[in-house]
Amino acid sequence: RRGVSPREVGLDASLTTARRMTAELGPGYRPLSILLGSPVRAVLTAGGNTVYPHAFGGAGTLRVGDVLLGYGHSDVGGHIALQGRTLFLGEPDARCRELFAHARTLFDTTCAALRPGRPLSEVEAEITAVYDELGAIRWKRHHSGHGVGLQMHEPPFVDLGDHRAILPGMVFAIMPALYVPGLGGFAIADTVAITASGNERLNRVPY
């Protein structure tokens, strides 16, 4: 809501979600990653701060019209899962709706392209071509995904420079994004597991 700091939102979401998660997983659960220090870490960035990938929650408070990026990391068995969503405080205008639609297209392209046997560099080239078709290549700031394991970011990478083949059982955090100066960042991020025929989204939150 207007007037709340992004940092306060992130702290509240972290605590609320950690309580729910540990209740569901039971008394045997314990965090195993020194990177988080708690079961869940949620971060919210707002407005101009969202144009920087992985930016910290900025100073100031939320304003109507802000583009928001919310990310959540969770630790299960020491493995770090990721989820991220673009949000809007108030009704987004036509430009924001268009850019969010582009982010959805890029996310869907990434999901469709991640199949066993394909080189990761080939997948990234396909995603990059869609950026180009959308006229959004200038807003691409990083690769489209990375491996999920015992670190926040680890290989293999959905990247032009990673020529390894995708194999069943691999798990990726995918996050194609648009970073538009003067407006904000637009991204959808999820954790997906590679199956024998394609992949499975492990998150259940709507876009």
Side-chain angles (χ1 to χ4, degrees), residues 53-90:
H54 303 300
F56 295 110
T61 59
L62 302 181
R63 300 175 299 177
V64 172
D66 275 347
V67 177
L68 312 174
L69 280 178
Y71 288 98
H73 298 84
S74 60
D75 172 354
V76 180
H79 291 79
I80 310 300
L82 168 70
Q83 180 172 280
R85 292 294 183 268
T86 301
L87 308 167
F88 304 97
L89 192 58

Side-chain angles (χ1 to χ4, degrees), residues 24 28 35 51 66 78 96-97 117 133 157 167 169 171-172 187 191 194 203 206:
E24 288 182 0
L35 295 172
V51 302
D66 275 347
C96 285
R97 289 181 182 277
E133 291 168 9
F157 295 97
L167 300 174
V171 181
F172 291 93
T191 301
I194 304 301
N203 304 108

